[in-house]
Amino acid sequence: VQNTGGVAMNLVWASWEPSITPPPCSAAQTEHDGHCFTIDVATDDAIAEWSRRGLAVTAVVYGVPAWARVGNVNCSPAAAGFEIFCSPDRASDYARFAGMLADRYDGRHGHGRVADFVIHNEVNANDWFDVGCGAGRACDVDTWVSTYAESWNAAYDAIVAEQSTARAYVSFEHHFASSWDAPTASSPLLSVETFLTRLVPRLGTRAWRIAYHPYAPNLFSPDFGADDWPRVTYGNLG
C-alpha cells in the first residue's frame, strides 16, 4: 500500500555547509546556486528508501552554521551545542540551503522526494530560534517575528521555485494561548497565538501551514487530557 504514512527527518544546514565552499565541488558534494554542499550520505540514502516505500518525507530544516550567524552577537545559546539555533544573518543564505534540498529531493533525480519543509524548529521559543536576546536581554517581539518571517519567506520562495507543489510549515511548540507570552524571561517565549497573528500578515499570499508539537504539559510525563489549556496538547487538540 502506497502513501500510508510519513517520516520526518532533520536536515541540518550546519552539517551540509559548515563553511562556504565555491565550485568546483567534490564527488562528496552537490552544487546549488554557486555553493557546494556536503551530502549527508545516511540521510540521502534514507530519503531515497522512504520515498521508494511510498512514505511522504518531511524535512525539518534547521541548524545555522557558524559563518552564517557571526552578526548575531547577542545570541544566548541555552546550552553547549545550541549555537546552531542562533538566527542567520541573511535569510538568503538559509533559503539557498532549503532550495538545494527542494532541488535534490524533487523526486526526479534518483534521490527520492521531500515535499514538506519545516522552516527552522519551534520558533516561538528563544532556545530554538534566537534572534539575539534572552539570558537577561529582553526580546523585542516585532524583531523576533520579522526575523523569522524573512527566513520563512525566502525559504518558501526558494522551495517552490524547485517544487511548485511543495509545502512549507511554521514550527511551534505547545504553549498556545497568549497568557504564555514572556519575551523578557531568562528563556523567552512567545505564545503560538501571539506569534502566528503577527507572522501571517508578513507572509503575503504565500501558502503557510503549521507544524505543531502538541506535547504533554509536563515533558517528563506522558499524562495529558482535555483540561490542558492554555497549552494545546494531544489531550485537547481539536
Side-chain angles (χ1 to χ4, degrees):
V1 178
Q2 299 291 301
N3 299 317
T4 57
V7 60
M9 302 187 68
N10 294 329
L11 279 295
V12 183
W13 179 19
S15 297
W16 287 68
E17 194 180 20
S19 61
I20 298 176
T21 306
C25 304
S26 73
Q29 297 175 315
T30 185
E31 188 273 333
H32 185 80
D33 193 23
H35 284 232
C36 297
F37 296 86
T38 299
I39 299 166
D40 183 325
V41 175
T43 298
D44 201 57
D45 290 346
I47 292 173
E49 177 61 16
W50 290 127
S51 297
R52 186 190 68 79
R53 297 187 183 194
L55 273 71
V57 178
T58 297
V60 185
V61 185
Y62 72 93
V64 180
W67 63 265
R69 48 180 160 84
V70 294
N72 192 351
V73 295
N74 292 318
C75 184
S76 54
F82 275 62
E83 294 83 4
I84 63 172
F85 300 111
C86 298
S87 63
D89 298 333
R90 293 174 296 276
S92 58
D93 290 328
Y94 172 78
R96 183 186 302 108
F97 174 57
M100 180 276 294
L101 296 176
D103 179 19
R104 182 173 181 83
Y105 302 113
D106 64 358
R108 297 178 297 178
H109 292 89
H111 305 296
R113 185 180 183 214
V114 173
D116 296 293
F117 296 81
V118 179
I119 308 304
H120 295 292
N121 180 61
E122 296 192 346
V123 298
N124 61 313
N126 172 264
D127 286 357
W128 304 103
F129 188 76
D130 189 333
V131 300
C133 51
R137 183 184 296 272
C139 295
D140 180 80
V141 175
D142 284 337
T143 298
W144 190 341
V145 176
S146 63
T147 300
Y148 178 68
E150 290 172 2
S151 266
W152 196 94
N153 285 339
Y156 176 94
D157 292 345
I159 290 165
V160 299
E162 304 296 341
Q163 293 191 46
S164 62
T165 60
R167 298 174 290 267
Y169 293 77
V170 182
S171 176
F172 294 125
E173 46 86 272
H174 67 167
H175 292 94
F176 193 90
S178 60
S179 57
W180 287 112
D181 288 339
T184 64
S186 179
S187 294
L189 180 73
L190 290 179
S191 67
V192 176
E193 187 173 37
T194 293
F195 201 106
L196 192 61
T197 54
R198 289 175 180 250
L199 176 67
V200 170
R202 291 174 162 90
L203 305 185
T205 59
R206 298 172 181 86
W208 56 271
R209 294 171 170 84
I210 296 175
Y212 187 83
H213 299 168
Y215 304 128
N218 182 346
L219 298 184
F220 299 98
S221 169
D223 296 329
F224 52 82
D227 297 325
D228 289 340
W229 181 262
R231 295 178 180 89
V232 170
T233 74
Y234 282 117
N236 60 6
L237 189 66

